[in-house]
Protein backbone atom coordinates (compact mmCIF):
# COMPACT_ATOMS: atom_id res chain seq x y z
CA UNK A 1 0.00 0.00 0.00
CA UNK A 2 2.72 2.47 0.99
CA UNK A 3 4.63 2.16 -2.29
CA UNK A 4 1.42 2.49 -4.31
CA UNK A 5 0.38 5.61 -2.40
CA UNK A 6 3.83 7.15 -2.74
CA UNK A 7 4.02 6.46 -6.48
CA UNK A 8 0.50 7.84 -6.96
CA UNK A 9 1.24 11.02 -5.00
CA UNK A 10 4.50 11.63 -6.84
CA UNK A 11 2.92 11.17 -10.27
CA UNK A 12 -0.15 13.23 -9.38
CA UNK A 13 2.00 15.96 -7.88
CA UNK A 14 4.13 16.11 -11.01
CA UNK A 15 1.04 16.09 -13.21
CA UNK A 16 -0.71 18.84 -11.23
CA UNK A 17 2.41 21.01 -11.13
CA UNK A 18 3.13 20.54 -14.81
CA UNK A 19 -0.56 21.03 -15.67
CA UNK A 20 -0.74 24.29 -13.73
CA UNK A 21 2.27 25.64 -15.64
CA UNK A 22 1.13 24.30 -19.01
CA UNK A 23 -2.41 25.66 -18.60
CA UNK A 24 -1.08 29.20 -18.77
CA UNK A 25 0.76 28.42 -21.99
CA UNK A 26 -2.30 26.73 -23.49
CA UNK A 27 -4.45 29.71 -22.50
CA UNK A 28 -2.01 31.87 -24.45
CA UNK A 29 -2.61 29.78 -27.57
CA UNK A 30 -0.18 26.87 -27.34
CA UNK A 31 -1.32 23.40 -28.37
CA UNK A 32 -2.27 21.19 -25.38
CA UNK A 33 -0.95 18.15 -27.23
CA UNK A 34 2.53 19.64 -27.20
CA UNK A 35 2.53 19.77 -23.43
CA UNK A 36 0.92 16.36 -23.05
CA UNK A 37 3.73 14.94 -25.16
CA UNK A 38 6.29 16.91 -23.17
CA UNK A 39 5.01 15.42 -19.90
CA UNK A 40 5.31 11.87 -21.22
CA UNK A 41 8.74 12.65 -22.64
CA UNK A 42 9.85 14.14 -19.33
CA UNK A 43 8.78 11.01 -17.44
CA UNK A 44 10.63 8.83 -19.95
CA UNK A 45 13.74 11.01 -19.62
CA UNK A 46 13.72 10.77 -15.82
CA UNK A 47 13.48 6.97 -15.99
CA UNK A 48 16.31 6.92 -18.52
CA UNK A 49 18.47 9.03 -16.22
CA UNK A 50 17.74 6.65 -13.33
CA UNK A 51 18.58 3.64 -15.50
CA UNK A 52 21.90 5.08 -16.61
CA UNK A 53 22.80 6.16 -13.08
CA UNK A 54 22.26 2.75 -11.48
CA UNK A 55 24.14 1.04 -14.29
CA UNK A 56 27.04 3.45 -13.87
CA UNK A 57 27.27 2.64 -10.16
CA UNK A 58 26.93 -1.07 -10.86
CA UNK A 59 29.76 -0.86 -13.40
CA UNK A 60 32.05 1.08 -11.08
CA UNK A 61 31.51 -1.43 -8.26
CA UNK A 62 31.15 -4.48 -10.50
CA UNK A 63 32.50 -7.90 -9.65
CA UNK A 64 35.22 -9.21 -11.99
CA UNK A 65 33.39 -11.07 -14.75
CA UNK A 66 34.52 -14.32 -16.33
CA UNK A 67 35.17 -14.22 -20.05
CA UNK A 68 32.02 -16.19 -20.90
CA UNK A 69 29.87 -13.60 -19.06
CA UNK A 70 30.87 -10.76 -21.37
CA UNK A 71 28.09 -9.69 -23.72
CA UNK A 72 29.57 -7.24 -26.24
CA UNK A 73 28.01 -4.06 -27.70
CA UNK A 74 24.78 -5.65 -28.96
CA UNK A 75 24.22 -7.44 -25.68
CA UNK A 76 24.90 -4.24 -23.78
CA UNK A 77 22.30 -2.41 -25.85
CA UNK A 78 19.73 -5.15 -25.07
CA UNK A 79 20.70 -5.06 -21.40
CA UNK A 80 20.10 -1.31 -21.17
CA UNK A 81 16.87 -1.37 -23.16
CA UNK A 82 15.29 -4.25 -21.22
CA UNK A 83 16.12 -2.68 -17.88
CA UNK A 84 14.84 0.71 -19.06
CA UNK A 85 11.59 -0.87 -20.25
CA UNK A 86 11.16 -2.66 -16.91
CA UNK A 87 11.70 0.57 -14.95
CA UNK A 88 9.47 2.57 -17.28
CA UNK A 89 6.44 0.51 -16.30
CA UNK A 90 7.33 0.12 -12.62
CA UNK A 91 5.31 3.05 -11.23
CA UNK A 92 2.06 2.17 -13.07
CA UNK A 93 2.40 -1.46 -12.01
CA UNK A 94 2.88 -0.49 -8.37
CA UNK A 95 -0.07 1.90 -8.45
CA UNK A 96 -2.35 -0.79 -9.91
CA UNK A 97 -0.87 -3.72 -7.99
CA UNK A 98 -4.18 -4.89 -6.50
CA UNK A 99 -5.63 -5.32 -9.99
CA UNK A 100 -2.50 -6.66 -11.67
CA UNK A 101 -1.31 -9.12 -9.02
CA UNK A 102 -4.36 -10.45 -7.15
CA UNK A 103 -4.21 -13.44 -4.85
CA UNK A 104 -5.77 -16.56 -6.32
CA UNK A 105 -9.14 -17.56 -4.87
CA UNK A 106 -9.08 -19.77 -1.79
CA UNK A 107 -8.68 -23.35 -2.94
CA UNK A 108 -7.40 -26.58 -1.43
CA UNK A 109 -3.91 -27.14 -2.79
CA UNK A 110 -0.67 -28.70 -1.55
CA UNK A 111 1.56 -26.34 -3.54
CA UNK A 112 0.86 -22.64 -2.93
CA UNK A 113 3.45 -20.12 -4.12
CA UNK A 114 4.11 -16.77 -2.44
CA UNK A 115 5.88 -13.93 -4.28
CA UNK A 116 7.98 -11.62 -2.09
CA UNK A 117 9.05 -8.28 -3.61
CA UNK A 118 12.12 -6.15 -2.97
CA UNK A 119 12.95 -2.78 -1.45
CA UNK A 120 10.77 0.31 -2.11
CA UNK A 121 8.33 -1.79 -4.16
CA UNK A 122 5.11 -3.75 -3.79
CA UNK A 123 3.51 -6.80 -5.39
CA UNK A 124 3.00 -4.92 -8.66
CA UNK A 125 6.58 -5.71 -9.74
CA UNK A 126 5.49 -9.35 -10.16
CA UNK A 127 2.97 -8.58 -12.93
CA UNK A 128 4.93 -10.20 -15.76
CA UNK A 129 6.32 -13.07 -13.70
CA UNK A 130 2.93 -13.90 -12.18
CA UNK A 131 1.36 -14.09 -15.64
CA UNK A 132 4.03 -16.54 -16.81
CA UNK A 133 3.80 -18.67 -13.67
CA UNK A 134 0.02 -18.85 -13.97
CA UNK A 135 0.29 -19.85 -17.64
CA UNK A 136 2.62 -22.68 -16.61
CA UNK A 137 0.12 -23.96 -14.05
CA UNK A 138 2.08 -22.98 -10.95
CA UNK A 139 0.26 -22.13 -7.78
CA UNK A 140 -2.16 -21.13 -6.48
CA UNK A 141 -0.27 -17.85 -6.53
CA UNK A 142 -0.15 -15.24 -3.80
CA UNK A 143 1.85 -12.06 -3.26
CA UNK A 144 2.72 -9.93 -0.26
CA UNK A 145 3.09 -6.15 -0.12
CA UNK A 146 4.90 -5.39 3.12
CA UNK A 147 5.84 -2.07 4.63
CA UNK A 148 6.24 0.75 5.37
CA UNK A 149 9.16 0.65 2.91
CA UNK A 150 11.81 2.18 5.18
CA UNK A 151 11.04 0.02 8.22
CA UNK A 152 13.23 -2.83 9.41
CA UNK A 153 13.57 -6.08 7.48
CA UNK A 154 12.76 -7.82 10.76
CA UNK A 155 9.36 -6.11 10.71
CA UNK A 156 8.82 -7.33 7.15
CA UNK A 157 9.69 -10.87 8.27
CA UNK A 158 6.89 -10.69 10.82
CA UNK A 159 4.45 -9.61 8.10
CA UNK A 160 5.68 -12.48 5.93
CA UNK A 161 4.96 -14.92 8.76
CA UNK A 162 1.37 -13.70 9.00
CA UNK A 163 0.92 -13.98 5.22
CA UNK A 164 2.29 -17.53 5.17
CA UNK A 165 -0.08 -18.57 7.95
CA UNK A 166 -3.02 -17.04 6.09
CA UNK A 167 -2.11 -18.89 2.87
CA UNK A 168 -1.76 -22.22 4.65
CA UNK A 169 -5.14 -21.70 6.28
CA UNK A 170 -6.74 -20.91 2.90
CA UNK A 171 -5.18 -23.79 1.00
CA UNK A 172 -4.84 -26.50 3.63
CA UNK A 173 -1.21 -26.92 2.57
CA UNK A 174 1.58 -27.86 4.97
CA UNK A 175 4.06 -25.42 3.48
CA UNK A 176 4.55 -22.75 0.82
CA UNK A 177 7.12 -22.12 -1.90
CA UNK A 178 8.70 -18.67 -1.65
CA UNK A 179 9.84 -16.82 -4.77
CA UNK A 180 11.67 -13.59 -3.98
CA UNK A 181 13.25 -10.65 -5.72
CA UNK A 182 16.02 -8.39 -4.41
CA UNK A 183 15.61 -7.56 -0.71
CA UNK A 184 12.77 -10.08 -0.58
CA UNK A 185 15.46 -12.75 -0.31
CA UNK A 186 16.74 -11.17 2.90
CA UNK A 187 13.20 -10.88 4.25
CA UNK A 188 12.83 -14.62 3.75
CA UNK A 189 16.17 -15.33 5.40
CA UNK A 190 15.19 -13.16 8.37
CA UNK A 191 11.92 -15.12 8.54
CA UNK A 192 13.78 -18.44 8.50
CA UNK A 193 16.13 -17.26 11.23
CA UNK A 194 13.24 -16.27 13.49
CA UNK A 195 10.54 -18.84 12.69
CA UNK A 196 12.38 -21.78 11.14
CA UNK A 197 11.71 -23.63 7.87
CA UNK A 198 8.78 -25.84 8.90
CA UNK A 199 6.26 -23.91 6.78
CA UNK A 200 8.55 -23.33 3.78
CA UNK A 201 8.77 -25.92 0.98
CA UNK A 202 11.53 -24.16 -0.98
CA UNK A 203 13.07 -20.72 -1.49
CA UNK A 204 13.82 -19.35 -4.96
CA UNK A 205 15.70 -16.07 -4.69
CA UNK A 206 16.17 -13.75 -7.68
CA UNK A 207 18.79 -11.00 -7.62
CA UNK A 208 19.11 -10.99 -3.82
CA UNK A 209 21.85 -8.81 -2.26
CA UNK A 210 22.98 -11.36 0.33
CA UNK A 211 26.16 -9.40 1.01
CA UNK A 212 24.54 -6.01 0.46
CA UNK A 213 24.77 -3.47 -2.35
CA UNK A 214 26.57 -0.15 -2.63
CA UNK A 215 23.39 1.38 -4.07
CA UNK A 216 21.81 1.23 -0.61
CA UNK A 217 24.22 3.92 0.57
CA UNK A 218 22.28 6.46 -1.48
CA UNK A 219 19.01 6.11 0.45
CA UNK A 220 17.81 6.65 4.03
CA UNK A 221 15.77 4.24 6.12
CA UNK A 222 16.32 1.21 8.32
CA UNK A 223 15.78 -1.37 5.58
CA UNK A 224 18.26 0.42 3.31
CA UNK A 225 20.84 0.61 6.09
CA UNK A 226 20.48 -3.16 6.46
CA UNK A 227 21.33 -3.55 2.77
CA UNK A 228 24.62 -1.66 2.99
CA UNK A 229 27.69 -3.88 2.69
CA UNK A 230 29.37 -4.65 5.98
CA UNK A 231 26.58 -3.52 8.33
CA UNK A 232 26.10 -5.37 11.63
CA UNK A 233 22.60 -6.68 10.87
CA UNK A 234 23.68 -8.23 7.57
CA UNK A 235 26.81 -9.69 9.15
CA UNK A 236 24.69 -11.39 11.82
CA UNK A 237 22.30 -12.74 9.20
CA UNK A 238 25.15 -14.14 7.13
CA UNK A 239 26.63 -15.79 10.21
CA UNK A 240 23.52 -18.01 10.30
CA UNK A 241 23.60 -20.96 7.88
CA UNK A 242 20.59 -21.81 5.78
CA UNK A 243 18.32 -24.42 7.37
CA UNK A 244 19.65 -27.84 6.42
CA UNK A 245 17.51 -29.68 3.89
CA UNK A 246 15.63 -26.59 2.66
CA UNK A 247 15.88 -26.47 -1.16
CA UNK A 248 17.25 -23.00 -1.91
CA UNK A 249 18.38 -21.53 -5.21
CA UNK A 250 19.87 -18.11 -5.98
CA UNK A 251 19.23 -16.87 -9.52
CA UNK A 252 21.34 -13.82 -10.34
CA UNK A 253 22.99 -11.89 -13.15
CA UNK A 254 26.57 -10.81 -13.71
CA UNK A 255 25.06 -7.60 -15.11
CA UNK A 256 22.68 -6.81 -12.23
CA UNK A 257 22.23 -3.04 -12.20
CA UNK A 258 21.23 -2.61 -8.54
CA UNK A 259 23.17 -5.31 -6.74
CA UNK A 260 26.83 -4.34 -6.76
CA UNK A 261 29.16 -6.04 -6.48
CA UNK A 262 27.16 -8.70 -8.30
CA UNK A 263 28.80 -11.60 -6.46
CA UNK A 264 26.82 -10.40 -3.44
CA UNK A 265 24.02 -12.60 -4.79
CA UNK A 266 25.95 -15.80 -4.15
CA UNK A 267 24.64 -17.51 -1.03
CA UNK A 268 26.50 -20.23 0.83
CA UNK A 269 24.38 -23.36 1.01
CA UNK A 270 22.18 -22.38 -1.95
CA UNK A 271 22.44 -23.63 -5.51
CA UNK A 272 23.72 -20.87 -7.79
CA UNK A 273 22.16 -20.14 -11.19
CA UNK A 274 24.31 -17.54 -12.95
CA UNK A 275 22.94 -15.46 -15.83
CA UNK A 276 24.39 -12.72 -18.04
CA UNK A 277 23.00 -9.69 -19.82
CA UNK A 278 20.01 -9.06 -17.54
CA UNK A 279 19.53 -6.02 -15.30
CA UNK A 280 18.05 -6.05 -11.81
CA UNK A 281 14.44 -5.17 -12.60
CA UNK A 282 14.48 -6.98 -15.94
CA UNK A 283 15.05 -10.22 -14.02
CA UNK A 284 11.31 -10.06 -13.27
CA UNK A 285 10.26 -9.61 -16.88
CA UNK A 286 12.75 -11.95 -18.54
CA UNK A 287 11.16 -15.14 -19.98
CA UNK A 288 14.27 -17.23 -19.24
CA UNK A 289 14.14 -16.30 -15.55
CA UNK A 290 10.44 -17.22 -15.44
CA UNK A 291 11.26 -20.55 -17.09
CA UNK A 292 13.89 -21.25 -14.46
CA UNK A 293 11.46 -20.44 -11.65
CA UNK A 294 8.82 -22.76 -13.12
CA UNK A 295 11.46 -25.48 -13.48
CA UNK A 296 12.46 -25.11 -9.83
CA UNK A 297 8.84 -25.20 -8.65
CA UNK A 298 8.13 -28.34 -10.67
CA UNK A 299 11.31 -30.05 -9.48
CA UNK A 300 10.34 -29.66 -5.87
CA UNK A 301 6.67 -30.50 -6.46
CA UNK A 302 7.70 -33.84 -7.94
CA UNK A 303 10.32 -34.58 -5.29
Amino acid sequence: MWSAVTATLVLLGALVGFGWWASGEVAAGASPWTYAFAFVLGYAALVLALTLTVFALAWIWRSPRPHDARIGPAGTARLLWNEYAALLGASPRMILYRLLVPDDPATRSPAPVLLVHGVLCNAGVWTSMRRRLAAAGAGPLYAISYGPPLASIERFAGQLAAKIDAILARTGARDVALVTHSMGGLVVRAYLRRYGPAKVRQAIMIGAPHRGSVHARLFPGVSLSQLRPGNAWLAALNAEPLPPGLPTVSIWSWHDSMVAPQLSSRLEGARDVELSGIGHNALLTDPEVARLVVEELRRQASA
Side-chain angles (χ1 to χ4, degrees):
M1 179 184 71
W2 293 273
S3 296
V5 170
T6 300
T8 301
L9 290 176
V10 169
L11 283 179
L12 283 178
L15 183 60
V16 169
F18 184 84
W20 177 81
W21 171 76
S23 62
E25 302 297 318
V26 172
S31 169
W33 294 108
T34 299
Y35 291 93
F37 177 74
F39 181 81
V40 174
L41 188 63
Y43 172 75
L46 285 173
V47 174
L48 179 60
L50 172 63
T51 303
L52 295 176
T53 299
V54 297
F55 267 115
L57 289 173
W59 186 83
I60 293 169
W61 295 96
R62 69 193 182 280
S63 297
R65 294 170 186 153
H67 182 76
D68 59 2
R70 298 174 186 175
I71 57 177
T76 300
R78 285 192 298 271
L79 167 70
L80 291 169
W81 170 254
N82 289 336
E83 183 70 4
Y84 174 63
L87 282 171
L88 199 62
S91 290
R93 285 193 293 269
M94 286 195 291
I95 291 171
L96 301 173
Y97 76 103
R98 292 186 185 276
L99 296 174
L100 296 174
V101 189
D103 282 350
D104 278 339
T107 182
R108 309 298 287 184
S109 171
V113 177
L114 175 57
L115 308 174
V116 187
H117 66 80
V119 67
L120 303 178
C121 297
N122 64 23
V125 299
W126 291 105
T127 300
S128 175
M129 178 73 74
R130 188 197 187 283
R131 184 172 61 250
R132 289 190 167 102
L133 296 184
L141 298 170
Y142 302 90
I144 184 173
S145 292
Y146 52 76
L150 301 181
S152 169
I153 292 176
E154 295 292 345
R155 179 171 177 176
F156 304 153
Q159 295 173 20
L160 177 62
K163 183 72 174 184
I164 289 174
D165 288 344
I167 290 171
L168 298 184
R170 292 181 67 178
T171 62
R174 294 184 305 169
D175 48 32
V176 61
L178 300 176
V179 181
T180 78
H181 179 243
S182 193
M183 188 185 73
L186 300 186
V187 175
V188 166
R189 291 179 60 202
Y191 166 88
L192 293 171
R193 180 171 62 169
R194 187 191 306 179
Y195 299 99
K199 298 177 182 179
V200 180
R201 183 167 67 256
Q202 67 186 125
I204 303 170
M205 302 180 183
I206 304 169
H210 296 297
R211 301 286 171 178
S213 175
V214 297
H215 292 72
R217 295 171 180 162
L218 302 177
F219 300 94
V222 178
S223 60
L224 274 299
S225 70
Q226 292 169 324
L227 294 179
R228 294 167 191 162
N231 75 83
W233 182 88
L234 195 56
L237 183 69
N238 285 321
E240 295 281 341
L242 287 172
L246 177 66
T248 305
V249 60
S250 179
I251 301 171
W252 58 279
S253 171
W254 284 102
H255 297 88
D256 195 304
S257 50
M258 291 187 176
V259 174
Q262 289 74 21
L263 284 174
S264 173
S265 289
R266 281 187 173 167
L267 176 61
E268 185 175 353
R271 185 165 63 85
D272 258 355
V273 178
E274 301 176 14
L275 302 173
S276 296
I278 309 174
H280 188 70
N281 295 279
L283 285 166
L284 292 177
T285 60
D286 188 86
E288 173 63 11
V289 176
R291 185 193 67 77
L292 290 170
V293 172
V294 170
E295 183 179 279
E296 293 297 328
L297 291 171
R298 287 175 175 168
R299 177 183 289 116
Q300 190 56 32
S302 62

